[in-house]
Every structure is written in C-alpha cells, then in structure tokens.
Amino acid sequence: MNPVSPDMLALQRLYHWEKAAPHQVTLTQPMGGGVIQDYTWSQVADQVRRMAAHLKAQGWEPGSNVAILSKNCAWWLMSDLAIWMAGHVSVPLYPTLAPDTIAHILTHSEAKACFVGKLDAWENMKPGVPGGLPCISYPLSPPDVLNNHDGWDAICARQAPLQGELVRGAEELATLIYTSGTTGRPKGVMQSFGSFAWALDAGITRIDLTGQDRMLSYLPLAHVVERVLVEHGWLRTGMRLYFAESIDTFPADLQRARPTIFFSVPRLWVKFQQGVHHKIPPARLQLLLSIPVIGALVRRKVLKALGLDQCRIAAGGAAPMPLALLSWYRKLGLPINEGYGLTENLAVSHLTVPGTNQEGTVGPAYPGVEDRIDPETGEIQMRSPALMMGYYKDPVQSRAAFTEDGWLRTGDKGQLDARGNLHITGRVKDLFKTSKGKYIAPAPIEDKLVMHEAVEACVVTGANLGRPLGIVMLNAEAVARSRDAAARTELEASLSEHLKGVNATLDPHEQLACLVIVTTAWTVDNDIITPTFKVKRNRIEDIYSANYERWEASGKKVIWQAS
C-alpha cells in the first residue's frame, strides 16, 4: 500500500476538527415538523466520545463488529466514529433490507450490538434482528425501538466522554461493507482505515472537495460511494453536511442544502429530468434553451427549482448513465461526471475529468490506479492501494476475486480508448446468447430503453430466444394513467414508437422482438432491485422467464403483463 499520512486517517480528522474548529456548525439534521438541529464539531466530538466510552465499557474484545441499521442521519456518522474510537469495526446495513438479509448479515458478522435508527419499515425488518442482540436507538428511531432499547441521548447523558486520542492504524480493519448483491448472498468486504485515506487522496485529485463545500447526504451511507465521498470527504475537509428528512420533503431538503457537490444514481437523475419535463414539455424546453438570453435564464430557473443552482460538481454512478441523459444535463448547464468503481476498491477506479466532455466513458483511471482489459474475456481488471483486504470469513471467494498477479477481477466488460478513457460495455456474466448463436450485451440497450418518460426501470433478456426482448417497469405516474383506456392506448402507441426508434440504432441481432410492460413496481421489498436501484437479473428470470417464448411468438410489439 502507498503510504498515507497518519493525520489523514478518519479518527485523526475528527480530533483535528475538534481542536481547530470546535464552534463551526458541521451537521444539519431535520427533526420533523420543520425543526432543524445543528451540530458543531465540538458537539459531534463530545457525543462520539460519550458513546465510545459506553461501547468500550461493554468489555468486548477489541476489533469486535458493531452494526448500524438506519437511514442517513447525524447519529449514523457519530455511531461510526464511536465504534472506531472504542476500538471496534462498524458493519453498516442498508435501511431497506429484507429481514432474512438483515439476519444473515448480523449473524455472519457476529455483531455484538446494533444501532437501530431512523427507519421507514421497522415492523417488517424487526424479525431479522436476532433476539437478545443489544440495540441502541436514535432520537428519530421508530417508537417501538425507542420504547424497548437504550437511547442515544440517555447514554450520552449518563456516560462521561472517553478521554485522549485513540489512534487506529492504517492497516487496521475499519469496516465490513456488505455488497448489495445482485446475485446470491451479500459478502462482507473488508476495508482498512488506510484504504479510506488513500481513496480520499486519489478522489480529491478529480473531485476537488473543500471546507467551503456543502453536501446533502441521502443515498444510503451503507453504500460505498456515500461512505467515501460524503462521510470521509466530510472528515477530510470539514465541510457542512445536510441530511434529507424523507422522500416527501426531498425537494425542500435540497433547497435547504443547496449542495455544491451532488452525487446521484442514474435512476434519480432520470426522475429529476422527468419532473422538469412534467412542468416544461421537452420540445418547449429545448426551444427555450436554444434562445441565447432566454436560454440562460431558463437554465438558472430550472436548476434553482431543483436546488442545484449552486452545484459546481455533479456526479453519477452505481449503474451506467444513458448518453442521452448526460447530454440533456449538459445542455441544462449541469454536466455530470460519470464514475465507476466497486465496493472492493472503495469506488475509486475511474471518473470523467470535470470540465472535459468524456460522455460515453467513465473517464481515465484515478492517479495511482492501474487498469487493464483481459484479452480473452474483455473483463476490466484493476489494482490500487484502495483494494479490499478480502471478504469476511470467505477465503475462497477472496482468492477468486483476484488474478494470480494481484489484479481485482471486476466482473465488468470494457474497452480502453486511445486517451485511456474506459468504456464499460456490460457485465461478463450478463452477456447472453440468442438461439441464432449471437451474443447480446444488455446494458447499452437498456440505457436507450430507460429514456422513455414512462419507464422507471428495464431489463433486456432472452437467452436462447430468436431475438431478445425488453421488460419495462412503468413509473407510478404512467401506471396511474394506464388505468384509463384511452390513455393506455396512447401510452402503448408511444412505447411502440420508442421501441421502433431504439431498434433502429441496433444491429439486426440485437433488435428487440417486443416490449413487455410491467405495472407492478420492482422494489427492495419484493427482492427485485438492490438498495442502489440495480435490477437483480436472476430474479427477473425467476419471475418472467416462463413467458419468454410465448411473448416472442405473439408477434405483438407491446405486451401488457398482468399484475
């Protein structure tokens, strides 16, 4: 591993801000009902020290695992820091997991305790928490948790703060990040304090984070990008973080934060676009943007309405960004930098260079990252000082994740162009062959399908069929419209035209036989998508594959799948 400055490790950054900026407001937490609670660095450090003292008093063996199950909030970050300060390892869980997945992670990690915080569906998740596991609630935890478990505020009130500055070494295990798992059980990725510090060193060479920046933390902190960019970016720079209250208040949360750095997944960037189009039809918006003076006013007005008028760096990742979507935002005056990475490399692999149009790629590798393409399989392979220590309690999978000469196998297919920019062409395992012996890479076709205003998510599938087919899930607004017969007919015609347009851009063997319309939402609860909105292809096959041959043989271009 390349050496990192000890002063840049997570806990040392907390100690730095505790001394250098004790009265600076650094976290802004909505409490509900319009009430906002701010925390200074001094207050953050005090509560972290008190909670760390409580955890240390439990007498667990140093390096024990302690879980965090909560939506993003100030206490999430303070819990993580307290776990580290007490000499332990944090295990974050997505706040939308099914109970059996929660049970698997808590059992597999042998968690000694669990912070159970802000959650929307606790009653559904509760059966996944093993009986007898000590739990600690947050002020915004569900009533059942607040009433039956020790509370954050009560612990901090009675516990004296831990004194001194416990130092955790760069080589020490910091956290287990359980992959969201598009296939199979989640695996616990082991990452060290040094890996996080190095990832920030590399990351800020391309995303120039400063102490004057503001960010809104709303994507799950259990996800590697939010963990690196938001949590560790905050600790590195001392910037101010805002938290989102709920889906319903998200527009107001954005307006409150007016983030200068904003990261989102493609599905949410599409939703923002659809919201704009709902107010200004696409053709009219395009016309207005083309008029010099008026166009500039419209751009500012639209970005201000989104809460992104102060955004100086926008980024996307976790799934491919459709080229048409990137182009739309660039014309709006908000170019999106597309990044690529994995939990196994702390998401620090590739990112387009701000100020440079590298659309259609995920840019060059970060400084210090090496990349190559396997000549036989086309797989992207990389190595850097941010690579994982391995999968927790799984030496077989740990060895399989790397080549014999130490390069991480990403499982993604790609190409490097003459400028060193990486083009991702799909997943190695996602490729499928039609009955005509032709291979189909679904991801580029899906990028085009999802650009219809009624489509929330989609999958291209059809192994061993004569031609592939597309399955599209309608968004809530389109589902509501489809209940009216006339509107349904109009929507069907629009999707048929969309299919025709997409097929016109594809090679003959790639062209879709039909679009299958699904009106039942694909959600985390029904186990069809991951918490980062990636569709689980194996679940799609389980649910729909029995119909594939019938759909292909029907001769229809658009087929409505019964809910």
Side-chain angles (χ1 to χ4, degrees):
M1 171 179 288
N2 289 1
V4 295
S5 169
D7 293 340
M8 294 298 108
L9 301 178
L11 278 179
Q12 285 84 322
R13 297 309 296 162
L14 174 66
Y15 303 142
H16 167 79
W17 297 117
E18 180 185 27
K19 291 179 288 190
H23 306 302
Q24 177 183 314
V25 173
T26 188
L27 299 177
T28 295
Q29 175 66 53
M31 301 296 292
V35 176
I36 303 297
Q37 184 168 325
D38 289 332
Y39 287 92
T40 64
W41 278 110
S42 177
Q43 291 169 327
V44 167
D46 180 69
Q47 295 208 18
V48 168
R49 288 180 176 281
R50 291 173 186 274
M51 186 55 66
H54 172 77
L55 297 178
K56 204 168 182 65
Q58 305 311 303
W60 303 322
E61 183 179 346
S64 293
N65 297 326
V66 181
I68 306 173
L69 175 59
S70 174
K71 294 172 69 176
N72 297 15
C73 58
W75 304 281
W76 200 112
L77 295 179
M78 290 190 283
S79 296
D80 208 15
L81 289 163
I83 291 166
W84 291 336
M85 191 181 288
H88 300 309
V89 176
S90 60
V91 184
L93 284 78
Y94 284 95
T96 50
L97 292 177
D100 61 333
T101 306
I102 293 171
H104 166 72
I105 294 173
L106 292 177
T107 302
H108 183 263
S109 67
E110 302 176 68
K112 298 293 187 182
C114 183
F115 289 92
V116 179
K118 186 181 177 187
L119 296 166
D120 292 331
W122 168 243
E123 287 304 315
N124 294 334
M125 306 168 83
K126 183 178 177 180
V129 179
L133 181 70
C135 294
I136 298 171
S137 68
Y138 294 161
L140 294 179
S141 295
D144 175 61
V145 182
L146 284 168
N147 295 333
N148 293 293
H149 296 285
D150 214 350
W152 179 279
D153 286 346
I155 291 172
C156 288
R158 68 174 184 255
Q159 185 73 57
L162 193 67
Q163 298 300 308
E165 296 185 358
L166 175 74
V167 174
R168 303 293 297 274
E171 74 289 343
E172 284 190 68
L173 177 62
T175 191
L176 304 180
I177 308 177
Y178 278 82
T179 57
S180 54
T182 53
T183 59
R185 286 283 196 183
K187 299 187 289 290
V189 175
M190 299 188 290
Q191 289 288 6
S192 70
F193 290 101
S195 291
F196 277 110
W198 187 90
L200 256 295
D201 285 345
I204 60 179
T205 63
R206 206 154 292 173
I207 298 180
D208 182 26
L209 301 176
T210 74
Q212 286 69 52
D213 281 312
R214 300 182 303 277
M215 295 187 71
L216 177 68
S217 179
Y218 70 101
L219 294 173
L221 275 162
H223 188 265
V224 65
V225 173
E226 194 83 355
R227 198 83 178 283
V228 174
L229 182 64
V230 175
E231 181 184 32
H232 288 267
W234 165 66
L235 288 168
R236 176 65 64 92
T237 65
M239 72 172 73
R240 186 165 176 175
L241 290 187
Y242 294 75
F243 294 94
E245 184 173 350
S246 67
I247 293 175
D248 294 336
T249 66
F250 188 72
D253 296 325
L254 261 177
Q255 293 292 337
R256 181 188 304 114
R258 303 307 272 267
T260 58
I261 309 288
F262 187 74
F263 175 88
S264 192
V265 295
R267 185 166 168 181
L268 292 178
W269 282 118
V270 170
K271 278 182 171 291
F272 292 159
Q273 180 197 45
Q274 291 173 345
V276 172
H277 284 165
H278 186 69
K279 295 178 180 178
I280 310 176
R284 177 169 174 75
L285 178 61
Q286 186 173 354
L287 174 63
L288 291 173
L289 292 176
S290 69
I291 303 172
V293 176
I294 294 175
L297 292 172
V298 170
R299 287 184 183 91
R300 284 198 293 271
K301 185 175 181 180
V302 170
L303 291 177
K304 188 170 184 178
L306 289 173
L308 296 175
D309 56 313
Q310 300 295 311
C311 184
R312 63 182 187 86
I313 299 179
M321 295 281 288
L323 194 57
L325 187 67
L326 294 170
S327 176
W328 185 85
Y329 276 101
R330 177 165 40 82
K331 291 175 183 175
L332 195 62
L334 189 68
I336 298 174
N337 292 96
E338 187 170 9
Y340 166 70
L342 305 149
T343 308
E344 288 83 350
N345 58 26
L346 285 179
V348 176
S349 182
H350 293 71
L351 182 77
T352 53
V353 178
T356 305
N357 187 344
Q358 296 170 332
E359 291 169 10
T361 81
V362 291
Y366 282 94
V369 172
E370 299 174 90
D371 57 3
R372 72 184 186 188
I373 306 298
D374 184 277
E376 294 184 8
T377 64
E379 182 186 44
I380 303 162
Q381 297 174 353
M382 61 80 62
R383 62 183 178 185
S384 79
L387 292 186
M388 67 174 178
M389 301 164 73
Y391 295 118
Y392 187 62
K393 297 197 302 191
D394 198 339
V396 174
Q397 290 288 344
S398 297
R399 285 192 297 271
F402 294 93
T403 63
E404 290 186 3
D405 54 349
W407 292 65
L408 178 68
R409 302 179 188 272
T410 67
D412 293 307
K413 288 175 65 72
Q415 300 170 346
L416 290 167
D417 65 23
R419 293 185 174 87
N421 296 319
L422 178 63
H423 301 248
I424 298 174
T425 57
R427 291 283 295 171
V428 172
K429 293 180 180 179
D430 285 348
L431 288 179
F432 62 88
K433 190 186 292 187
T434 66
S435 62
K436 297 176 183 177
K438 296 286 188 177
Y439 279 101
I440 305 294
I445 307 174
E446 291 163 354
D447 284 350
K448 298 175 181 181
L449 280 183
V450 80
M451 292 309 297
H452 190 281
E453 64 177 5
V455 176
E456 176 90 357
C458 66
V459 167
V460 169
T461 186
N464 300 317
L465 296 180
R467 293 171 64 188
L469 49 86
I471 305 176
V472 299
M473 185 197 91
L474 298 184
N475 58 38
E477 183 182 347
V479 170
R481 283 206 325 266
S482 70
R483 297 190 182 106
D484 175 78
R488 183 184 179 109
T489 300
E490 182 181 347
L491 178 59
E492 184 173 324
S494 176
L495 285 166
S496 181
E497 278 301 304
H498 183 55
L499 172 64
K500 183 178 178 181
V502 169
N503 275 343
T505 69
L506 303 176
D507 291 336
H509 72 278
E510 298 175 308
Q511 293 177 0
L512 304 178
C514 63
L515 282 186
V516 178
I517 304 174
V518 175
T519 57
T520 300
W522 297 342
T523 66
V524 175
D525 289 340
N526 59 29
D527 198 34
I528 300 179
I529 64 167
T530 72
T532 52
F533 304 115
K534 296 176 186 175
V535 179
K536 296 184 176 182
R537 294 181 186 274
N538 59 328
R539 286 285 292 140
I540 294 293
E541 299 296 320
D542 291 344
I543 296 168
Y544 301 112
S545 62
N547 302 301
Y548 289 174
E549 291 185 4
R550 175 172 58 82
W551 288 339
E552 184 193 20
S554 71
K556 296 180 180 178
K557 291 300 179 185
V558 177
I559 299 169
W560 292 82
Q561 166 68 3
S563 299

